[in-house]
Amino acid sequence: MRATFDRLWARRRLLTYLGLVVAVVITLLPFLWMLLGSFKTQGEILRDPSGFLPQHPTSGNYSTWFDRLHLGRFFLNSLIVALVTVAGNLLFCSMVGYALAKFHFAGKRLVFTLVMITLMVPGVVTFVPLFVLVTKLGLTNTYAALILPFLTSPMGVFMMRQFISGIPDTLLEAARIDGAGELRIWARIVMPLCGPPLATLGILTFLGSWNNFLWPLVAAQSQDMYTLPVALSLYSTGQIATQYGLLLAGSVLVIAPIVLVFVFVQRYFTQSIATVGVR
Amino acid sequence: MAVLTGGAEKGAAARPAGRGGGAGHAPGAPRSLRRRQSLIAWGFSLPFVLLFASFTLIPLLSSFLMSFTDFKSADVDSPFAVNFVGIDQYRTLFGSAQFLKSLRNTAYFVVVGIPLTMGIALVLAVALNSGISRFRTAFRVGFYTPVVTSIVAVAVVWRFILQKDGPLNAVLGWVGISGPDWLNSTTWAMPAMIGLGVWRNMGTLMVIFLAGLQTIPAEVTEAAMIDGAGPVKRFLRITVPLMRPTLLFGAVLLSVWYLQFFEEPFVMTQGGPLDATLSVSYFAFKQFGFGNYAYASAASYVLFVAIALLSMVMFRALRSKED
């Protein structure tokens, strides 16, 4: 009886493993195709589009991206935009989070309600007025245009407020009795305690910024302000539309940095999704 | 996890706005002290409030107001030439065959995409949660990789995979199926988009569901096992009911994302063939490109209202189950 049960259990587990392996291989297959295809020449891809291993591997597609298509510039744009966006979110969301969590002030309920309402506003709703605003301010084709609309996020405010609410008041009270000002309390007590939510917010903001597409597409109109996804999409529908090797290499270059980061800090990535549930 | 189960919101409600917190701002505190607290709090909020108002609130309101005018790109420099036209833009929208088509396409994506994504994600999460101890991290990383990658890059690859004689059809050919020219077929272009959506988002849902599954106490499952409930019965009678808040949360999340789908058709089909993959977001984006700013705003507001309504209904369902 016991032996049969064990055997059944073992068989079911084996089947589960097998099913999962098949599923994960199918999931990752597009990436493999992308990687292998990026080392093929246009001729080889056209001859055998479903071929797998490159017959004569070439790095020509990659050198074209760097030499002729200014990939370095797009990479730099994406990085600058993402880093400033992350810094802004960490700073502004934690400040307003502190105020919302630990102070009583006129307009507090209004601020919080408005933040919660905008939590689900799709990007497409605001981009027409944003575009007009950016044009009017003379910011078209500047980093400011790419960054300013994303310096704050309702999700960030909500997260920081929730976390800071959990910090005991007695801790802050003690600091006040010792004569610390509010700015000092925020910087020296609240912020150091906010490691986990700040890391989560930082990861999610960086990912969102790196992969953001609609607004940079509208706001970056000259080539030297393109971010990586914009450059890839505009090239892929325009001048290199049918050069598959080049397109696949471009995709690898857009994806590679974030996948590399992801592999090293995947635990935090998945934890942040599990806890916040919002990309 | 607290957010998932709706507990966070409840916690916030049970702990009203900073009571007992801060430096002596109890209701009975002297007025000058309360004023000082208010000033400090606004000092902390000001940078956020200014940015939030300029780049989120005011644009949101402008978009709404703009949708009742005839604002076009040419009017950017002469705002007084703009006329109030009432609900004309909305009337034109709902009389436009192309917009109605984009609404239908979006609904198709949502209605088919959400159950498919959730179903697959739930199966994966349950499989990972049942007796799998080794390679668990590797599996999680594998299923989650599509989530972190840029949708634009991924759509480029899928455009290649979905060609008439591309890799996917080659694989289908091995089992004797001659696949369609996916992206050039009015029938198959949308299923291809949905496939991409499922592939890309199942990882997120899986991670969320996995977190939800781990909150189910082992004793409950064990008790059912002793009572002789089989795996299917256990899944339907225990797992699904206990996971209800998490499942609903996943549904809200997906509907917010899926209702705005845009990048996939933009990169892969430009909304074609014959508008078969034109989404509402893409419709608005195109009208913006033509310079029809007010019309684009109206289209995007229809989307906004749809998202707001759908999430409100779902959150209400979630809350009533919690009480």
Side-chain angles (χ1 to χ4, degrees):
Chain A
M1 176 67 193
R2 175 86 209 168
T4 3
F5 183 78
D6 279 352
R7 219 169 38 237
L8 268 173
W9 182 243
R11 203 164 69 191
R12 237 191 65 207
R13 206 160 55 179
L14 195 71
L15 279 176
T16 312
Y17 269 114
L18 212 68
L20 281 171
V21 168
V22 171
V24 93
V25 166
I26 292 174
T27 306
L28 294 179
L29 217 51
F31 293 111
L32 192 62
W33 243 307
M34 172 177 79
L35 195 63
L36 292 171
S38 69
F39 291 105
K40 293 176 186 170
T41 60
Q42 177 76 350
E44 188 183 343
I45 292 177
L46 288 182
R47 240 187 348 270
D48 180 17
S50 56
F52 216 64
L53 283 175
Q55 244 93 64
H56 312 285
T58 164
S59 60
N61 294 319
Y62 289 96
S63 46
T64 306
W65 272 101
F66 284 104
D67 300 343
R68 212 161 50 89
L69 299 172
H70 320 297
L71 186 104
R73 172 78 200 209
F74 308 141
F75 190 90
L76 192 70
N77 289 345
S78 278
L79 200 65
I80 290 173
V81 171
L83 289 180
V84 178
T85 305
V86 169
N89 270 281
L90 297 187
L91 181 67
F92 299 133
C93 293
S94 64
M95 282 173 71
V96 71
Y98 178 46
L100 286 174
K102 295 294 181 193
F103 289 90
H104 199 63
F105 60 100
K108 167 175 168 164
R109 190 188 279 265
L110 181 73
V111 171
F112 189 65
T113 310
L114 287 174
V115 166
M116 293 313 287
I117 287 174
T118 51
L119 208 54
M120 287 182 190
V121 173
V124 72
V125 176
T126 51
F127 83 70
V128 177
L130 269 183
F131 183 77
V132 175
L133 179 69
V134 161
T135 313
K136 279 282 177 193
L137 292 174
L139 294 174
T140 337
N141 286 317
T142 61
Y143 287 117
L146 292 171
I147 293 167
L148 279 172
F150 299 98
L151 273 184
T152 64
S153 70
M155 192 64 229
V157 174
F158 180 67
M159 265 172 58
M160 296 312 297
R161 173 192 176 273
Q162 289 301 106
F163 190 87
I164 296 174
S165 295
I167 296 176
D169 289 330
T170 44
L171 206 62
L172 311 179
E173 221 43 77
R176 283 191 189 107
I177 289 165
D178 286 348
E182 292 301 330
L183 205 59
R184 198 187 174 89
I185 292 174
W186 168 77
R188 293 291 167 84
I189 297 174
V190 177
M191 285 299 265
L193 288 172
C194 281
L198 287 174
T200 302
L201 182 59
I203 286 173
L204 293 178
T205 308
F206 190 88
L207 187 65
S209 177
W210 191 265
N211 291 339
N212 191 15
F213 180 59
L214 185 60
W215 175 249
L217 179 69
V218 173
Q221 302 201 315
S222 86
Q223 251 184 39
D224 54 342
M225 290 311 292
Y226 286 175
T227 55
L228 281 174
V230 174
L232 183 65
S233 85
L234 293 185
Y235 284 149
S236 80
T237 48
Q239 48 184 292
I240 56 167
T242 49
Q243 299 185 47
Y244 286 111
L246 208 51
L247 282 180
L248 296 178
S251 301
V252 172
L253 291 169
V254 173
I255 286 175
I258 208 95
V259 169
L260 281 181
V261 173
F262 168 61
V263 169
F264 288 110
V265 298
Q266 56 84 20
R267 179 188 299 273
Y268 307 101
F269 260 96
T270 46
Q271 257 170 20
S272 60
I273 293 296
T275 48
V276 184
V278 171
R279 217 166 356 170
Chain B
M1 209 33 241
V3 177
L4 293 183
T5 55
E9 258 169 272
K10 266 190 168 170
R15 192 170 40 224
R19 177 171 302 160
H25 48 61
R31 204 179 203 180
S32 63
L33 193 59
R34 274 205 318 237
R35 207 138 93 235
R36 208 181 85 87
Q37 291 303 313
S38 217
L39 267 175
I40 293 172
W42 272 104
F44 274 106
S45 310
L46 209 60
F48 168 80
V49 169
L50 287 179
L51 284 165
F52 182 66
S54 320
F55 295 101
T56 306
L57 280 184
I58 293 173
L60 195 62
L61 193 65
S62 319
S63 183
F64 182 67
L65 296 176
M66 203 186 272
S67 71
F68 297 102
T69 68
D70 61 357
F71 194 86
K72 281 189 183 328
S73 55
D75 298 322
V76 171
D77 292 319
S78 53
F80 293 108
V82 173
N83 300 306
F84 177 78
V85 297
I87 59 163
D88 278 9
Q89 302 287 7
Y90 290 95
R91 211 177 284 155
T92 317
L93 265 183
F94 285 98
S96 149
Q98 200 186 31
F99 180 71
L100 293 178
K101 177 99 190 158
S102 77
L103 267 182
R104 272 199 301 276
N105 291 336
T106 305
Y108 184 8
F109 195 84
V110 169
V111 169
V112 180
I114 290 181
L116 256 181
T117 314
M118 301 226 332
I120 293 176
L122 192 57
V123 168
L124 292 178
V126 168
L128 272 180
N129 200 40
S130 71
I132 295 289
S133 47
R134 249 177 296 173
F135 311 118
R136 199 166 174 170
T137 307
F139 282 126
R140 214 178 45 194
V141 170
F143 291 122
Y144 197 71
T145 304
V147 179
V148 297
T149 51
S150 154
I151 178 73
V152 175
V154 147
V156 164
V157 178
W158 277 71
R159 204 174 79 194
F160 170 72
I161 291 173
L162 292 166
Q163 290 169 88
K164 179 85 184 83
D165 42 16
L168 178 64
N169 282 348
V171 172
L172 288 176
W174 298 343
V175 289
I177 300 170
S178 105
D181 187 358
W182 296 91
L183 297 179
N184 289 314
S185 151
T186 49
T187 320
W188 291 105
M190 271 309 279
M193 299 283 151
I194 293 172
L196 172 55
V198 171
W199 174 78
R200 194 172 138 73
N201 293 298
M202 62 184 193
T204 311
L205 273 289
M206 183 199 73
V207 169
I208 293 174
F209 291 164
L210 201 54
L213 282 172
Q214 279 159 3
T215 62
I216 298 179
E219 301 91 63
V220 179
T221 322
E222 274 160 22
M225 237 166 168
I226 290 165
D227 288 346
V232 176
K233 201 166 186 177
R234 281 206 307 275
F235 179 75
L236 290 178
R237 293 286 171 79
I238 294 173
T239 311
V240 171
L242 285 178
M243 286 273 289
R244 208 189 166 100
T246 311
L247 292 173
L248 268 165
F249 180 80
V252 172
L253 210 58
L254 278 181
S255 57
V256 173
W257 292 341
Y258 281 6
L259 276 167
Q260 339 175 22
F261 90 111
F262 167 77
E263 286 96 339
E264 298 92 331
F266 182 87
V267 178
M268 288 160 73
T269 58
Q270 277 79 60
L274 297 174
D275 292 338
T277 58
L278 187 75
S279 66
V280 177
S281 282
Y282 200 176
F283 178 91
F285 179 78
K286 270 180 130 167
Q287 291 302 330
F288 169 78
F290 298 148
N292 303 327
Y293 287 3
Y295 197 47
S297 288
S300 67
Y301 245 89
V302 172
L303 190 68
F304 178 40
V305 170
I307 290 178
L309 280 181
L310 199 62
S311 16
M312 226 154 67
V313 168
M314 287 179 169
F315 268 126
R316 185 137 309 165
L318 185 131
R319 191 161 305 162
S320 65
K321 286 293 158 202
E322 284 268 295
D323 294 337

